[in-house]
Structure formats: structure tokens, C-alpha cells
Amino acid sequence: MYGDPATIRKILTESGDTWAVVGLSSNEGRAAYGVAAVLKRYGKRVVPVHPKAETVHGEQGYASLADIPFPVDVVDVFVNSDLAGAVADEAVAAGAKAVWFQLGVVDEAAYERTRKAGLDMVMDRCPAIEIPRLG
């Protein structure tokens, strides 16, 4: 319902290759770390956004989306649903083209706000699962 195939394809192939991954740290046991690795294999620039601002997968991290000094195309969100809406609002403010809420992350009000702001959005899906399906 919140990830139709056309929107998924558009975000993964047309929205741009700079992805801010909110919640990405150097913890290799976390899902964000593995998903970021898959995105990199598919040619995406993965920018870590985490309070620790760690360098992950060779890319400098930032404490917030607002701290990133260059344009971001897609914001991939690995935070709890109760925090995700604020991240979506930050993505709109940062000028992103799309927002992607990971598996288990759902905020219908944030979805509506983000879509009304003109961004593409997917919720409760994983780009590491979807990107190989594109063929």
C-alpha cells in the first residue's frame, strides 16, 4: 500500500544516487549497515546520519540531515516509527527528492505530509530487497 512498484522503481533508478541513511552506524550487526552495503554495491553514495557521526563504508557521517553540506536525493530511515515522522519532515526541509521508511517503520501522517510536499515515499519496505528485483 505504501510502496507501489512504480514508486519503488522511480526512487531506486531515477531519484538520484546520494542516499542519506538515518540510523547508520559502524555497528555491523545492525540492519542499516548491511542495507547500506547493498546500496553501495548498486552504485549509490551512502551518507551515514547518526548522532555519533561515524565514518561508515568509507563515507563521512553527519549527526543530522541538516549537517550534510551537499544535496541528498533519498533519505532512507532506520529509526523507530515514533521518530520517523520528524526525519521525514527534515528530509523535506533538506530538499530531498524521496523518503524511504525501512521495514517496520510506518507513520501514515508523515507519509501524507511528505507526499503533499511533492516527494516520493515508500514505507515498510527495504531497498536491499527491492533493488535486485529490478533486473
Side-chain angles (χ1 to χ4, degrees):
M1 176 152 95
Y2 294 106
D4 65 274
T7 301
I8 289 169
R9 178 174 289 280
K10 181 179 178 189
I11 292 172
L12 291 171
T13 64
E14 299 173 27
S15 293
D17 290 333
T18 301
W19 285 53
V21 181
V22 178
L24 175 58
S25 72
S26 61
N27 183 342
E28 295 179 20
R30 302 290 302 210
Y33 190 90
V35 169
V38 171
L39 290 170
K40 281 188 69 75
R41 279 199 305 272
Y42 280 87
K44 307 298 182 190
R45 178 182 185 188
V46 175
V47 181
V49 179
H50 189 279
K52 293 180 183 176
E54 300 173 302
T55 297
V56 183
H57 296 300
E59 189 74 40
Q60 169 64 50
Y62 297 90
S64 71
L65 287 173
D67 291 341
I68 300 173
F70 48 83
V72 169
D73 301 310
V74 181
V75 176
D76 188 8
V77 182
F78 278 93
V79 300
N80 293 329
S81 295
D82 59 337
L83 303 174
V87 176
D89 295 339
E90 291 171 25
V92 171
K97 298 174 190 166
V99 175
W100 191 299
F101 280 9
Q102 282 297 145
L103 291 171
V105 180
V106 176
D107 181 331
E108 293 180 10
Y111 182 87
E112 294 303 323
R113 286 194 312 273
T114 303
R115 297 288 294 142
K116 277 187 181 164
L119 282 71
D120 289 315
M121 186 163 178
V122 170
M123 287 196 307
D124 196 24
R125 297 291 182 112
C126 178
I129 293 170
E130 302 296 337
I131 202 167
R133 293 179 179 170
L134 298 177

